[in-house]
Amino acid sequence: MPQREYVINHNTTYGYHQNDNVPPINSFLRKDKYEILTIGTIRDFEINSTVLENTKSSEVFKFSYIGDGEVKEKLETFSKTLGINNVVFKGRYNPEDERELIYNCDFVSVLRYCDSENNKTALPNRLYSATIAGKPLVAYKGTYLAEIIDYYKLGIVLDSLNNLEKELLNYIDNDFKYYTVGRNNFLDKIKGDNTNFRESLIQILKG
């Protein structure tokens, strides 16, 4: 973008209300199974199919795809063809149910390759909804989204898809301890940016 001063508005209303609050973070305890949720429009067949194939024998992680789109149908067919049993697919959901669906999972997936300008630069709704809900994100290296997640310690950024189960368990045991501080810093950044945007807009409208 041209070198000038910009005012940023994040794709969330967090920071617009005085009574905004977020839930506290509980300890990430070891358990028998963890849910990795993809919610919204289902995209990026290549990376998701690779993840499902590489983890099809996992008894520790299950994958949930809740939403619609052509890729959802392709992934569902792909999973049935390969006999992948640790994945569930659900269709459209009521927007008012999204918060509860995210609260009930363990990780939120924002996996995408850096294979298009949109994937390289986009910051999806899941970045904000998962962070507000206190759920770590799972991303792949090379995108601006991955940079944000890595900088603020909002989850795990994968360099490879070959050892996903091992990488996630290592994150739970060793790296999740950095999540709360990073999350608080990111939410403070959002709140400051959105408040500044609102005040700047009000000044512009006042003329």
Side-chain angles (χ1 to χ4, degrees):
M1 292 190 294
Q3 295 298 311
R4 64 182 66 174
E5 185 174 346
Y6 292 91
V7 179
I8 297 173
N9 178 51
H10 295 272
N11 192 22
T12 173
T13 60
Y14 182 76
Y16 285 164
H17 311 290
Q18 291 298 319
N19 61 345
D20 275 332
N21 57 72
V22 294
I25 304 299
N26 296 320
S27 297
F28 214 144
L29 301 177
R30 274 297 192 108
K31 57 184 185 178
D32 292 335
K33 194 174 286 283
Y34 301 91
E35 180 185 5
I36 301 174
L37 173 67
T38 301
I39 190 168
T41 302
I42 310 302
R43 300 184 172 91
D44 302 292
F45 173 81
E46 288 75 14
I47 194 167
N48 281 288
S49 60
T50 299
V51 166
L52 291 177
E53 184 171 9
N54 288 354
T55 57
K56 64 182 179 181
S57 61
S58 176
E59 297 180 356
V60 181
F61 292 98
K62 74 170 186 177
F63 297 84
S64 297
Y65 291 84
I66 303 179
D68 218 339
E70 293 181 7
V71 170
K72 181 248 183 186
E73 304 297 332
K74 288 178 64 179
L75 278 175
E76 194 165 8
T77 299
F78 174 85
S79 299
K80 288 178 180 178
T81 301
L82 269 64
I84 300 173
N85 297 316
N86 61 337
V87 60
V88 295
F89 295 91
K90 299 179 182 179
R92 295 181 181 179
Y93 58 93
N94 293 322
E96 57 268 24
D97 295 333
E98 181 173 288
R99 177 175 292 187
E100 183 177 359
L101 290 168
I102 293 175
Y103 280 145
N104 289 334
C105 76
D106 298 294
F107 292 90
V108 174
S109 172
V110 285
L111 288 166
R112 60 191 61 192
Y113 287 129
C114 185
D115 55 3
S116 69
E117 192 63 28
N118 183 66
N119 276 0
K120 182 179 180 180
T121 60
L123 297 180
N125 291 343
R126 276 173 275 174
L127 168 64
Y128 302 103
S129 55
T131 303
I132 290 170
K135 301 299 177 178
L137 293 146
V138 182
Y140 189 73
K141 66 178 181 179
T143 65
Y144 179 54
L145 172 62
E147 291 179 17
I148 294 291
I149 293 170
D150 183 60
Y151 181 82
Y152 286 101
K153 309 302 181 188
L154 300 176
I156 181 171
V157 176
L158 301 167
D159 294 322
S160 167
L161 301 176
N162 294 328
N163 298 296
L164 181 59
E165 181 173 317
K166 180 180 178 181
E167 294 287 342
L168 287 172
L169 291 176
N170 180 68
Y171 172 82
I172 292 169
D173 289 341
N174 299 306
D175 295 333
F176 179 70
K177 59 189 176 185
Y178 304 112
Y179 179 82
T180 298
V181 172
R183 173 187 184 240
N184 290 341
N185 289 338
F186 183 63
L187 291 177
D188 286 344
K189 169 71 171 169
I190 292 173
K191 198 164 195 173
D193 287 345
N194 280 357
T195 299
N196 186 40
F197 177 85
R198 182 182 63 179
E199 293 174 352
S200 297
L201 184 61
I202 291 173
Q203 292 304 312
I204 290 172
L205 294 175
K206 285 182 177 179

